[in-house]
Amino acid sequence: MRQIIATVSFAVGLTALAGTGFAATQYPLTINNCGQQVTFTKAPEKIVSIGQGMTEVLFSLGLADKIAGTAVWVGPVLPAYAEANGKIKRLADNDPSFESVVGEEPDLVAAEFEWHVGVQGAVGKREQFADLGINTYIAPADCVAKINTDGGDGVRKELFTMDLIYQEIAELSEIFDIKERGDALIADLKKREADAVASIEGAAGKNLPVVFWFSSKEVSGDAFIAGKNSAPAYILKTIGAKNVVTTEEEWPLVGWETISQANPAVIVLATMDRRRYAADDPQTKIDFLENDPVTKELDAVKNKRFVMMDAQSMNPTIRTIDGIETLAAGIKSFGLSQ
């Protein structure tokens, strides 16, 4: 409901901004995107969006009518965009094929993750799309101070901040000549972020050890746990809690024996509709934690301090702000905020 109200308020704000004289984009427009110069001779007319986070940014900018297809979804779309999303072709829930993407004849492929459209090119390399006259854009949050050449989810050398999401919005709004929409969306998100921080001021769990568990390939095997510079790490820094993981990998695989040494007071569990890995189901996570001889002795497990968080809030997206609110509320509910 909070998101729906925010979206309505944002739409009203856009109406109020009409005719206020924002400078139009001057084409050709060249931007430096993830190490490549990309030139737009006009606003793109047809987009294929790879990654739920990227798609939701495009929705938030009012560009649903330009999206010809989407792929890589973790859970339900933001409620405000359910109707629009239902009219857009889903190329794949996970990685789409190169052929399915170019088959939509887009003039822009926008990707949330560089490993889909980059050097690795799980979907296709940027050069492959360029050879067909198709521009590509990758979310800055996945390449600024981040290395994605070693496989996995990459290595983040600096702490993620929401400024990278604001950069993405600003660049996309310039590409599509909708600067007023971009400025309004950034202002709205910054206010929500400030409000979230203010709501927990003086009440956050100071240095409280917390672990973020996204999923696992095998339920009883090593877990994908948030690294020290990830979006969850930004959430933790914002509320003053402590990440139990110190590696720069975005989502390193960590053994539960190692996690038990840190003895987290709170475990944040990703919720999602995706069922790609064995531990995607949050109830499966809880069943394991409460029955495994190592994990059942953890302070968080013995006291049932589980915080359910939408998986997209754990990725660098516009939902990361929701993650701040969700974890803060959980810490308060456990009586750990003093």
Side-chain angles (χ1 to χ4, degrees):
M1 181 61 71
R2 178 179 66 248
Q3 181 62 45
I4 293 172
I5 292 172
T7 303
V8 171
S9 299
F10 173 59
V12 171
L14 290 185
T15 302
L17 284 167
T20 54
F22 279 83
T25 298
Q26 299 298 308
Y27 300 103
L29 168 70
T30 298
I31 64 168
N32 188 332
N33 175 241
C34 292
Q36 287 200 15
Q37 298 291 316
V38 184
T39 299
F40 298 86
T41 58
K42 63 177 182 177
E45 297 177 355
K46 206 173 186 182
I47 315 164
V48 168
S49 178
I50 303 174
Q52 182 175 347
M54 175 64 71
T55 305
E56 290 183 341
V57 168
L58 294 171
F59 283 155
S60 299
L61 285 170
L63 295 169
D65 62 333
K66 292 183 179 291
I67 303 175
T70 69
V72 187
W73 285 77
V74 177
V77 70
L78 288 169
Y81 308 118
E83 183 178 355
N85 187 58
K87 299 175 182 178
I88 295 172
K89 186 176 182 179
R90 181 75 62 89
L91 302 180
D93 289 336
N94 294 308
D95 300 353
S97 67
F98 179 77
E99 292 75 16
S100 69
V101 173
V102 300
E104 296 303 315
E105 300 182 345
D107 51 359
L108 175 64
V109 173
E112 181 176 353
F113 302 112
E114 188 177 27
W115 69 279
H116 282 131
V117 181
V119 177
Q120 299 279 344
V123 176
K125 294 180 172 60
R126 301 187 83 165
E127 294 78 11
Q128 289 177 273
F129 289 108
D131 288 343
L132 297 175
I134 302 171
N135 269 335
T136 52
Y137 178 85
I138 300 170
D142 201 54
C143 57
V144 174
K146 188 167 182 280
I147 302 170
N148 297 310
T149 55
D150 297 328
D153 293 297
V155 176
R156 193 176 292 277
K157 307 301 289 185
E158 297 176 3
L159 180 66
F160 162 81
T161 73
M162 284 298 295
D163 286 341
L164 292 173
I165 302 300
Y166 303 146
Q167 177 184 339
E168 175 184 346
I169 293 168
E171 289 177 346
L172 287 170
S173 63
E174 186 173 19
I175 290 168
F176 286 93
D177 192 18
I178 49 170
K179 292 180 184 178
E180 69 279 8
R181 298 186 202 175
D183 287 353
L185 178 57
I186 291 169
D188 178 69
L189 290 171
K190 284 185 174 181
K191 183 179 185 304
R192 285 189 56 215
E193 183 176 13
D195 289 347
V197 173
S199 72
I200 58 173
E201 188 174 358
K206 189 69 175 175
N207 291 321
L208 194 71
V210 178
V211 64
F212 280 74
W213 182 11
F214 196 93
S215 189
S216 302
K217 294 179 179 179
E218 301 296 336
V219 177
S220 59
D222 292 352
F224 288 110
I225 302 297
K228 75 170 190 176
N229 290 327
S230 60
Y234 176 72
I235 293 172
L236 291 171
K237 181 180 180 181
T238 301
I239 67 175
K242 176 185 176 182
N243 195 350
V244 303
V245 175
T246 59
T247 178
E248 292 181 335
E249 290 181 64
E250 186 85 330
W251 288 99
L253 279 169
V254 183
W256 287 104
E257 292 80 5
T258 301
I259 296 171
S260 69
Q261 295 174 13
N263 193 24
V266 176
I267 299 177
V268 185
L269 304 175
T271 64
M272 65 188 87
D273 285 352
R274 188 192 76 175
R275 293 296 180 264
R276 186 175 190 174
Y277 293 129
D280 284 352
D281 184 344
Q283 188 56 52
T284 298
K285 293 184 178 78
I286 292 176
D287 291 342
F288 166 75
L289 291 169
E290 293 182 335
N291 291 284
D292 181 82
V294 173
T295 58
K296 70 180 183 180
E297 299 301 323
L298 297 177
D299 185 45
V301 178
K302 288 191 291 187
N303 292 283
K304 297 186 181 297
R305 298 193 194 113
F306 304 126
V307 173
M308 300 298 183
M309 183 177 292
D310 178 84
Q312 281 298 89
S313 296
M314 295 188 183
N315 284 327
T317 67
I318 57 177
R319 296 202 197 193
T320 301
I321 297 170
D322 295 329
I324 297 172
E325 298 166 340
T326 299
L327 182 55
I331 289 174
K332 288 180 183 179
S333 72
F334 301 142
L336 297 174
S337 59
Q338 301 305 316

